């Protein structure tokens, strides 16, 4: 049995030029410390880091020989939120520590019926969509946000 290639280095978007393959991962799957990944071409490798990493769409994982596997945000079930006061709606989403992708005319969150019901009570229109999810990073540019019990 042949050992799988191992990646121990993340190359942020814009720091690499050509990928040998792509690996599409959901938002939750892009946060890990060690994981076996399967590229879209069907071959496997292991990503193994000292600490947990939060990968962004467009990041690359460096394999031996300076080969890069591009990370892509995979389509997933989201809720598109619109309404007359997006700022207020965004505040309520953030107050619940819910990851949120902020766009000029709408907000996107992972599908969540409890948050959807709350937002509709606040006057939001909530529509299911399927697309890649790239929420805002945490405070101070430190990656993902976590609840108070972290």
């Amino acid at each position: 049995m042949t050992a799988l290639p191992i990646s121990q280095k993340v190359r942020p978007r814009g720091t690499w030029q050509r990928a040998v393959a792509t690996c599409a991962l959901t938002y939750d799957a892009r946060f890990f410390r060690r994981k076996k990944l399967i590229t879209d071409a069907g071959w496997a490798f292991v990503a193994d880091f000292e600490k947990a990493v939060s990968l962004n769409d467009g990041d690359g994982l460096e394999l031996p020989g300076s080969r890069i596997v591009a990370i892509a945000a995979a389509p997933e079930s989201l809720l598109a939120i619109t309404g007359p006061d997006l700022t207020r709606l965004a505040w309520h989403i953030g107050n619940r520590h819910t990851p949120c992708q902020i766009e000029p005319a709408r907000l996107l969150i992972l599908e969540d019926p409890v948050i959807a019901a709350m937002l509709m009570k606040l006057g939001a229109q909530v529509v299911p969509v399927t697309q890649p999810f790239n929420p805002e990073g945490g405070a101070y540019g430190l990656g993902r946000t976590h609840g108070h019990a972290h």
Side-chain angles (χ1 to χ4, degrees):
M1 183 170 176
T2 306
L4 296 176
I6 297 175
S7 171
Q8 294 182 306
K9 184 175 183 180
V10 176
R11 299 280 305 272
R13 177 194 321 206
T15 64
W16 56 274
Q17 296 197 359
R18 188 174 146 285
V20 296
T22 300
C23 190
L25 301 170
T26 63
Y27 175 68
D28 286 338
R30 293 192 315 263
F31 183 71
F32 62 91
R33 190 196 74 72
R34 186 173 201 279
K35 183 183 281 193
K36 177 181 175 183
L37 298 170
I38 309 291
T39 68
D40 294 351
W43 52 270
F45 68 100
V46 174
D48 186 10
F49 305 107
E50 188 175 311
K51 296 179 182 178
V53 297
S54 179
L55 300 173
N56 296 308
D57 183 61
D59 286 346
L61 298 180
E62 186 174 324
L63 296 172
S66 298
R67 297 176 300 149
I68 301 291
V69 173
I71 298 301
E76 53 190 307
S77 298
L78 306 175
L79 299 175
I81 298 127
T82 58
D85 191 352
L86 279 182
T87 303
R88 180 171 170 256
L89 297 172
W91 185 89
H92 283 282
I93 291 167
N95 193 44
R96 275 114 186 125
H97 298 279
T98 300
C100 182
Q101 182 173 326
I102 300 170
E103 297 179 352
R106 68 180 186 167
L107 306 171
L108 294 166
I109 62 170
L110 292 168
E111 198 170 56
D112 182 321
V114 173
I115 300 293
M118 174 202 67
L119 293 168
M120 288 187 284
K121 285 181 183 177
L122 294 169
Q125 291 79 49
V126 179
V127 177
V129 297
T130 301
Q131 69 178 72
F133 186 48
N134 293 295
E136 290 292 313
Y140 311 106
L142 297 177
R144 296 190 181 217
T145 56
H146 299 282
H148 292 293
H150 52 90

